[in-house]
Amino acid sequence: MPLRRNGRALKRWRYVGAFCDEAMVCVGLASVGPLTQGWWAFWDRDAGALREHTVFVRPARVVTLDPGTVRVRDGDLAIDLVIDEVDGVESVCPHGDEYVWTRKQAGVGVRGSVRLGTAETPIDGLAVVDDTAGYHARDTAWRWSAGVGRTEDGAPVGWNLVTGVNDPATASERSLWIAGEAREVGPVTFGDDLTWVRFAEGGELRFAAEAVRERHDELLVMRSDYVQPFGTFAGVLPGGMRLEHGLGVMELHSARW
């Protein structure tokens, strides 16, 4: 994909979120045209401590995101994860006069560790993976939720829900995985305070934030404002399936790029 198409810069990113009872981790690399940034966040649920860093200068020296692996080396922090990646759900959706491609995975296995100083936290849980590339409009805003968990009957689940981008009534990126099988869900509605998301088919997930990542960047030609809390989910999925245990993120993002 060229760096520009009809006057729009190419935006692309890879995001991995890993969730287990002990900790939640997210790692990402994103580019707008030739400019790239990386980031990581580690929410230690047992200690009640959040560590995070966004890297603007040579981020690939800090964050490495290869298929199936995550590696971060940043000061006294080291993240090493192995992800059981699958084909995922791909979609190509219009965005104004242009388009966005994305591939989502959720509920895939993840294992590894986060080392902070001399302390090491094992990671053994489920992950979400977001690969996106497209020619988004100059001003773009969305609400997003990605999470993992299990139903009352013990089936592993994952979800990817969005409004504002890649969200036509059909052939969207909205997906629900039950025991590894993916299906599209209908349009969703988010609460303004990011405490719930409702499904057109019926059902609602309620969200309780535990820690919040938030950044407001004003750069020379770009602006990015986002809020992304880590937390827990409870409620009912489409089809009447009750979520017994859920972990993940909500996000509110507004960008001028």
Coordinates of all heavy atoms in Angstrom, one line a residue, residues 14 16 66-69 82-90 101-111 126-131 158 175-183:
R14 N -0.2 -2.3 14.5 CA -0.3 -3.6 15.0 C -0.4 -3.5 16.5 O 0.5 -2.8 17.1 CB 0.8 -4.6 14.7 CG 0.6 -6.0 15.2 CD 1.6 -7.0 14.6 NE 1.6 -8.3 15.2 CZ 0.8 -9.3 14.8 NH1 0.0 -9.1 13.8 NH2 0.9 -10.5 15.4
V16 N -1.3 -5.6 20.2 CA -1.5 -6.8 20.9 C -1.9 -6.5 22.4 O -1.2 -5.8 23.1 CB -0.3 -7.7 20.9 CG1 -0.5 -9.0 21.8 CG2 0.1 -8.1 19.5
D66 N 6.6 -9.3 15.9 CA 6.7 -10.2 14.8 C 5.5 -11.2 14.9 O 4.9 -11.3 15.9 CB 8.0 -11.0 14.8 CG 9.2 -10.2 14.5 OD1 9.1 -9.3 13.6 OD2 10.2 -10.4 15.1
P67 N 5.1 -11.8 13.8 CA 4.0 -12.8 13.9 C 4.2 -13.8 15.0 O 5.2 -14.5 15.0 CB 4.0 -13.4 12.5 CG 4.5 -12.4 11.6 CD 5.6 -11.7 12.4
G68 N 3.3 -13.9 15.9 CA 3.4 -14.8 17.0 C 4.2 -14.5 18.2 O 4.2 -15.2 19.2
T69 N 4.9 -13.3 18.1 CA 5.7 -13.0 19.3 C 5.7 -11.5 19.5 O 5.4 -10.6 18.6 CB 7.2 -13.3 19.0 OG1 7.7 -12.6 17.9 CG2 7.4 -14.8 18.8
V82 N 4.4 -15.1 23.6 CA 4.2 -15.9 22.4 C 2.7 -16.1 22.3 O 2.0 -16.4 23.2 CB 4.8 -17.3 22.6 CG1 4.5 -18.2 21.5 CG2 6.4 -17.2 22.8
I83 N 2.2 -15.8 21.1 CA 0.8 -15.8 20.8 C 0.4 -16.9 19.8 O 1.1 -17.1 18.8 CB 0.4 -14.4 20.2 CG1 0.9 -13.2 21.0 CG2 -1.1 -14.3 20.0 CD1 1.0 -11.9 20.2
D84 N -0.7 -17.6 20.1 CA -1.1 -18.6 19.2 C -2.0 -18.0 18.1 O -3.3 -18.2 18.2 CB -1.9 -19.7 20.0 CG -1.1 -20.4 21.1 OD1 0.1 -20.5 20.8 OD2 -1.6 -20.7 22.1
E85 N -1.4 -17.3 17.2 CA -2.2 -16.6 16.2 C -2.9 -17.5 15.3 O -2.5 -18.7 15.0 CB -1.3 -15.7 15.4 CG -0.7 -14.5 16.3 CD -0.3 -13.3 15.4 OE1 -1.0 -13.0 14.5 OE2 0.8 -12.8 15.7
V86 N -4.1 -17.0 14.7 CA -4.9 -17.7 13.8 C -5.1 -16.8 12.6 O -4.6 -15.7 12.5 CB -6.2 -18.2 14.4 CG1 -6.0 -19.2 15.5 CG2 -7.0 -16.9 14.9
D87 N -5.9 -17.3 11.6 CA -6.1 -16.4 10.4 C -6.9 -15.1 10.8 O -6.7 -14.1 10.1 CB -7.0 -17.2 9.4 CG -6.2 -18.3 8.8 OD1 -4.9 -18.3 8.8 OD2 -6.8 -19.3 8.2
G88 N -7.7 -15.2 11.8 CA -8.4 -13.9 12.1 C -9.6 -13.6 11.2 O -9.9 -14.4 10.3
V89 N -10.2 -12.5 11.5 CA -11.3 -12.0 10.7 C -10.8 -10.7 9.9 O -10.4 -9.8 10.5 CB -12.5 -11.6 11.6 CG1 -13.6 -11.0 10.8 CG2 -13.1 -12.9 12.2
E90 N -10.9 -10.8 8.6 CA -10.5 -9.7 7.8 C -11.7 -8.9 7.2 O -12.7 -9.5 6.9 CB -9.6 -10.1 6.6 CG -8.3 -10.7 7.0 CD -7.4 -10.9 5.8 OE1 -7.1 -10.0 5.1 OE2 -6.9 -12.1 5.6
W101 N -8.4 -1.5 5.5 CA -8.3 -3.0 5.7 C -7.9 -3.3 7.2 O -7.1 -2.5 7.8 CB -7.2 -3.6 4.8 CG -6.8 -5.0 5.2 CD1 -7.4 -6.1 4.7 CD2 -5.8 -5.4 6.1 NE1 -6.8 -7.2 5.3 CE2 -5.8 -6.8 6.1 CE3 -4.9 -4.7 6.9 CZ2 -5.0 -7.6 6.9 CZ3 -4.0 -5.5 7.7 CH2 -4.1 -6.9 7.7
T102 N -8.5 -4.3 7.7 CA -8.1 -4.7 9.1 C -8.3 -6.2 9.3 O -9.1 -6.9 8.6 CB -8.9 -4.0 10.1 OG1 -8.4 -4.2 11.4 CG2 -10.4 -4.4 10.1
R103 N -7.5 -6.8 10.2 CA -7.6 -8.2 10.5 C -7.6 -8.3 12.1 O -6.7 -7.7 12.7 CB -6.5 -9.0 10.0 CG -6.5 -10.5 10.4 CD -5.4 -11.3 9.8 NE -4.1 -10.8 10.2 CZ -3.0 -10.8 9.4 NH1 -3.1 -11.2 8.1 NH2 -1.9 -10.3 9.8
K104 N -8.6 -8.9 12.6 CA -8.7 -9.0 14.1 C -8.7 -10.4 14.5 O -9.2 -11.3 13.9 CB -10.1 -8.4 14.5 CG -10.2 -6.9 14.2 CD -9.2 -6.0 14.9 CE -9.5 -4.5 14.9 NZ -9.5 -3.9 13.6
Q105 N -8.1 -10.6 15.7 CA -8.1 -11.9 16.4 C -8.4 -11.7 17.8 O -8.0 -10.7 18.4 CB -6.7 -12.6 16.3 CG -6.1 -12.8 14.9 CD -4.7 -13.2 15.0 OE1 -4.3 -14.3 15.6 NE2 -3.8 -12.5 14.4
A106 N -9.2 -12.6 18.4 CA -9.5 -12.4 19.9 C -9.7 -13.8 20.5 O -10.3 -14.7 19.8 CB -10.7 -11.5 20.1
G107 N -9.4 -13.9 21.7 CA -9.5 -15.2 22.4 C -8.4 -16.2 22.0 O -8.6 -17.4 22.3
V108 N -7.3 -15.8 21.5 CA -6.2 -16.7 21.2 C -5.3 -16.8 22.4 O -5.1 -15.9 23.2 CB -5.4 -16.2 19.9 CG1 -6.3 -16.2 18.7 CG2 -4.9 -14.8 20.1
G109 N -4.6 -17.9 22.5 CA -3.8 -18.2 23.6 C -2.5 -17.3 23.6 O -2.0 -17.0 22.6
V110 N -2.1 -16.9 24.8 CA -0.8 -16.1 25.0 C -0.1 -16.6 26.3 O -0.8 -16.9 27.3 CB -1.1 -14.6 25.0 CG1 -2.0 -14.3 26.2 CG2 0.1 -13.8 25.1
R111 N 1.2 -16.6 26.2 CA 2.0 -17.0 27.4 C 3.3 -16.3 27.3 O 3.8 -15.9 26.2 CB 2.2 -18.5 27.4 CG 2.8 -19.1 26.2 CD 2.5 -20.6 26.1 NE 3.0 -21.1 24.8 CZ 2.3 -21.0 23.6 NH1 1.1 -20.4 23.6 NH2 2.8 -21.5 22.5
L126 N -5.4 -15.1 27.5 CA -5.9 -15.0 26.2 C -5.5 -13.6 25.7 O -5.4 -12.6 26.4 CB -7.4 -15.2 26.2 CG -7.9 -16.6 26.6 CD1 -9.4 -16.6 26.7 CD2 -7.4 -17.6 25.6
A127 N -5.5 -13.5 24.3 CA -5.0 -12.2 23.7 C -5.9 -11.8 22.6 O -6.7 -12.5 22.1 CB -3.6 -12.4 23.2
V128 N -5.8 -10.5 22.3 CA -6.4 -9.9 21.1 C -5.3 -9.3 20.2 O -4.3 -8.8 20.8 CB -7.5 -8.8 21.4 CG1 -8.6 -9.4 22.3 CG2 -6.8 -7.7 22.1
V129 N -5.5 -9.4 18.9 CA -4.5 -8.8 18.0 C -5.2 -8.0 16.9 O -6.2 -8.5 16.4 CB -3.7 -9.9 17.3 CG1 -2.6 -9.3 16.4 CG2 -3.0 -10.9 18.3
D130 N -4.8 -6.8 16.7 CA -5.4 -5.9 15.8 C -4.3 -5.4 14.8 O -3.3 -4.8 15.1 CB -5.9 -4.7 16.5 CG -6.4 -3.5 15.6 OD1 -6.4 -3.7 14.4 OD2 -6.9 -2.5 16.1
D131 N -4.5 -5.9 13.5 CA -3.7 -5.4 12.4 C -4.5 -4.5 11.5 O -5.6 -5.0 11.0 CB -3.1 -6.6 11.6 CG -2.1 -7.4 12.4 OD1 -1.0 -6.9 12.7 OD2 -2.4 -8.6 12.6
G158 N -14.0 -14.3 22.9 CA -13.3 -13.0 22.6 C -14.2 -12.1 21.8 O -15.1 -12.6 21.1
S175 N -16.8 -8.5 15.6 CA -16.8 -10.0 15.7 C -16.9 -10.5 17.1 O -16.4 -9.9 18.0 CB -15.5 -10.5 15.0 OG -15.4 -10.1 13.7
L176 N -17.4 -11.7 17.2 CA -17.5 -12.4 18.5 C -17.0 -13.8 18.2 O -17.4 -14.5 17.3 CB -18.9 -12.5 19.0 CG -19.2 -13.3 20.2 CD1 -18.6 -12.7 21.4 CD2 -20.8 -13.4 20.4
W177 N -16.0 -14.3 19.1 CA -15.5 -15.6 19.0 C -16.0 -16.5 20.1 O -15.8 -16.1 21.3 CB -13.9 -15.6 19.0 CG -13.2 -15.0 17.8 CD1 -12.6 -15.7 16.8 CD2 -13.0 -13.6 17.5 NE1 -12.1 -14.9 15.9 CE2 -12.3 -13.6 16.3 CE3 -13.4 -12.4 18.1 CZ2 -11.9 -12.4 15.7 CZ3 -13.0 -11.2 17.5 CH2 -12.3 -11.2 16.3
I178 N -16.5 -17.6 19.8 CA -17.0 -18.6 20.9 C -16.2 -19.9 20.6 O -16.4 -20.5 19.5 CB -18.5 -18.8 20.8 CG1 -19.3 -17.5 20.9 CG2 -18.9 -19.8 21.9 CD1 -19.2 -16.8 22.3
A179 N -15.4 -20.3 21.6 CA -14.6 -21.5 21.4 C -13.8 -21.5 20.1 O -13.7 -22.5 19.4 CB -15.4 -22.7 21.5
G180 N -13.3 -20.3 19.7 CA -12.5 -20.2 18.6 C -13.2 -20.0 17.3 O -12.6 -19.7 16.2
E181 N -14.5 -20.1 17.3 CA -15.3 -19.9 16.1 C -15.8 -18.4 16.0 O -16.5 -17.9 17.0 CB -16.5 -20.8 16.0 CG -16.1 -22.3 15.9 CD -15.5 -22.6 14.6 OE1 -15.9 -22.0 13.5 OE2 -14.5 -23.4 14.5
A182 N -15.5 -17.7 14.9 CA -15.9 -16.3 14.8 C -17.2 -16.1 14.1 O -17.5 -16.9 13.1 CB -14.8 -15.6 14.1
R183 N -17.9 -15.1 14.5 CA -19.1 -14.7 13.7 C -19.3 -13.2 13.9 O -18.9 -12.6 14.9 CB -20.4 -15.4 14.2 CG -20.8 -15.1 15.6 CD -22.0 -16.0 15.9 NE -22.5 -15.9 17.3 CZ -23.4 -15.0 17.7 NH1 -24.0 -14.2 16.8 NH2 -23.8 -15.0 19.0

